[in-house]
Amino acid sequence: MTKIAVLGYGTVGSGVAEVLDVNAEHVEDSAGDKVEIKYILDLRDFPGDKHEDKVIHDFEVIVSDPEVEVICETMGGIEPAFTFSKKALESGKSVCTSNKELVAAHGPELVELAKKNNVSYLFEASVGGGIPVLRSMNDSIRHERLDSITGILNGTTNYILTKMDQEGADFDSVLKVAQDKGYAERNPEADIEGHDACRKTAILASIMSGQFVKHEDIYTEGITKITGEDFEYARELHMAIKLLGSCKREDGKFFAMVAPFLIPFDEALANVNGVFNAINVHGNMLGDVMYYGKGAGKKATASAVVADVIDIVRHKGKHIDWNMKNVPAEVASINDDVRNFFVRCDAAGESSARELFGDIKEVVCSKVNGEFAFVSPEMSERDFAEKFEKLSGAKGYLRLL
Ligand code: HSE
């Protein structure tokens, strides 16, 4: 029997209990041992809940109980999750978490601490909800030299963009539904401003580079500027609009960014809709491999946490290592990154656009009046920013994948 504790009985924490209850036999079969929750730590009480007798309010009880071998940290946020995780690892308990904020900020340090104490720090649920992408990167394709990762990494924004596109729904009401479904962060700004996708990109980039990619070094734009008219143009271009997190090695540099992109319909990522996430990883020998599944929500995310518990039980007495050293990675400025841009300006800005951008491709959309819209030639982010700044009547832009 392996006894575990769950820190935080919110959406994911209560999901962990549900997965362990509903799939008890499969969990035992997979882990080779029964897994039982001994404690649930939360500030609240849960009268009437099946596990109400396990709810406690003092972390010290958990950390000082030698019977507890694994701690599921599903609290979110940096503190007290960081302090609790450190104490747990120092006490010889393995930790698994869905807390992308903490992993992005202190993951390599916690992995190092886990190694020192011969336990494990696992965080499958921190990227892509239920998608088993991190374990695969750390195991099945660890021998590959990864060249690029491009993914739809935030379920809430993908849900919002899909509803805006397919149903013409307005931003605020779709966000409300995403919150009700348990997809959104406590502060949904983290989703819609791209911060959540940025943290997940930082985690993927750290595993890809083998070093610590700090989320503060990743250029990030969210989806708040995207309007119904952008989708009208996107349809003319036979493209979808998706918030992408990406990182790549190019010309000896390491780039990472988060921003909304126009993606041709014939690309797989353009067809990833609703709460689903997809992550395309390119290895030097393997080529492209795509991971797809539910990127948010109680059961999917909790299932990934339980997968980590099982991995830890199977490797009792051993440290599960990550290729993610606690050494800062150098992230290049996006200024030198080159691509095409889709640009909208007032109709009167056409001559300014032609003069500044040269060989442009006009995009005509009968549903949008009084505008001139075009696709720029390939140019660096630096050149584009300079030209867009000078463009007369500039209204907005999107990058093309
Ligand atoms: N708010 C996050 C999302 C939850 O929408 O993707 C899963 O990390």
Side-chain angles (χ1 to χ4, degrees):
M1 170 82 74
T2 300
K3 304 229 171 166
I4 71 165
V6 176
L7 312 186
Y9 204 49
T11 305
V12 183
S14 59
V16 169
E18 189 178 334
V19 174
L20 290 172
D21 287 341
V22 174
N23 281 12
E25 279 177 30
H26 297 291
V27 170
E28 182 179 346
D29 180 53
S30 177
D33 196 11
K34 265 194 184 355
V35 175
E36 188 185 277
I37 297 177
K38 182 162 186 187
Y39 303 109
I40 292 168
L41 183 80
D42 205 287
L43 293 170
R44 304 160 289 180
D45 288 306
F46 295 88
D49 186 278
K50 183 177 176 192
H51 297 285
E52 68 174 310
D53 57 323
K54 296 172 183 163
V55 177
I56 60 165
H57 309 295
D58 182 3
F59 177 69
E60 292 307 320
V61 173
I62 295 171
V63 86
S64 61
D65 185 337
E67 263 194 359
V68 175
E69 294 181 79
V70 186
I71 290 184
C72 301
E73 185 272 294
T74 52
M75 311 174 80
I78 303 290
E79 284 297 353
F82 184 36
T83 303
F84 289 175
S85 300
K86 279 195 291 191
K87 281 191 178 174
L89 296 169
E90 281 161 353
S91 310
K93 300 180 193 311
S94 288
V95 175
C96 47
T97 186
S98 54
N99 188 342
K100 49 265 163 118
E101 206 177 336
L102 181 59
V103 178
H106 297 289
E109 183 185 336
L110 290 166
V111 168
E112 207 170 73
L113 188 61
K115 186 170 190 171
K116 211 168 125 192
N117 289 282
N118 199 36
V119 287
S120 299
Y121 185 68
L122 302 186
F123 39 91
E124 182 63 74
S126 67
V127 177
I131 307 171
V133 56
L134 301 189
R135 183 167 294 106
S136 168
M137 284 174 69
N138 198 43
D139 185 358
S140 314
I141 61 169
R142 190 166 170 150
H143 61 288
E144 284 285 318
R145 182 186 186 278
L146 302 183
D147 306 314
S148 70
I149 300 178
T150 310
I152 293 170
L153 301 171
N154 182 270
T156 301
T157 46
N158 206 45
Y159 183 80
I160 293 172
L161 291 174
T162 303
K163 292 282 177 188
M164 284 175 79
D165 184 12
Q166 295 180 352
E167 297 168 20
D170 75 281
F171 197 100
D172 292 333
S173 61
V174 195
L175 173 59
K176 173 81 180 54
V177 181
Q179 284 174 305
D180 292 346
K181 284 178 178 279
Y183 302 158
E185 297 302 299
R186 225 171 296 164
N187 174 5
E189 254 191 34
D191 295 300
I192 62 180
E193 297 294 355
H195 306 314
D196 179 75
C198 170
R199 290 182 188 119
K200 292 165 177 168
T201 303
I203 297 167
L204 289 168
S206 295
I207 298 170
M208 173 173 160
S209 68
Q211 296 183 326
F212 183 15
V213 174
K214 297 198 173 161
H215 65 94
E216 298 93 330
D217 293 341
I218 299 179
Y219 176 87
T220 298
E221 279 178 29
I223 63 161
T224 50
K225 290 187 195 146
I226 292 168
T227 64
E229 289 169 337
D230 289 317
F231 287 107
E232 298 294 351
Y233 281 115
R235 275 188 277 278
E236 292 295 332
L237 287 161
H238 302 285
M239 291 185 183
I241 302 172
K242 300 288 177 191
L243 183 70
L244 296 182
S246 61
C247 49
K248 62 180 177 183
R249 295 177 214 271
E250 216 168 72
D251 304 328
K253 291 184 181 159
F254 191 84
F255 293 98
M257 77 182 296
V258 172
F261 274 77
L262 280 159
I263 311 174
F265 283 148
D266 54 12
E267 294 274 346
L269 284 172
N271 300 291
V272 174
N273 291 317
V275 73
F276 283 85
N277 283 188
I279 302 131
N280 191 88
V281 179
H282 188 276
N284 65 330
M285 294 291 128
L286 174 69
D288 285 311
V289 61
M290 173 86 92
Y291 301 87
Y292 172 85
K294 255 190 156 185
K298 178 174 172 165
K299 289 191 221 168
T301 312
S303 176
V305 177
V306 170
D308 280 347
V309 174
I310 291 168
D311 206 5
I312 288 166
V313 175
R314 281 179 177 169
H315 292 91
K316 267 190 199 180
K318 285 189 193 145
H319 165 71
I320 300 168
D321 200 23
W322 289 92
N323 178 27
M324 199 168 85
K325 295 193 176 52
N326 194 11
V327 174
E330 203 173 307
V331 180
S333 151
I334 63 162
N335 277 338
D336 297 322
D337 210 357
V338 173
R339 54 176 55 89
N340 301 96
F341 295 82
F342 165 73
V343 187
R344 293 168 60 190
C345 64
D346 291 337
E350 178 173 352
S351 56
S352 161
R354 291 192 187 281
E355 199 176 309
L356 282 164
F357 287 90
D359 188 18
I360 58 178
K361 186 177 139 224
E362 185 177 350
V363 183
V364 179
C365 177
S366 59
K367 296 199 174 134
V368 186
N369 299 315
E371 285 193 3
F372 181 69
F374 62 94
V375 175
S376 79
E378 274 199 346
M379 58 179 61
S380 70
E381 289 271 351
R382 182 191 291 103
D383 285 353
F384 176 76
E386 279 171 18
K387 289 177 197 295
F388 186 77
E389 173 92 21
K390 292 181 192 155
L391 177 64
S392 164
K395 290 182 109 169
Y397 67 88
L398 282 165
R399 296 171 174 86
L400 268 67
L401 188 67

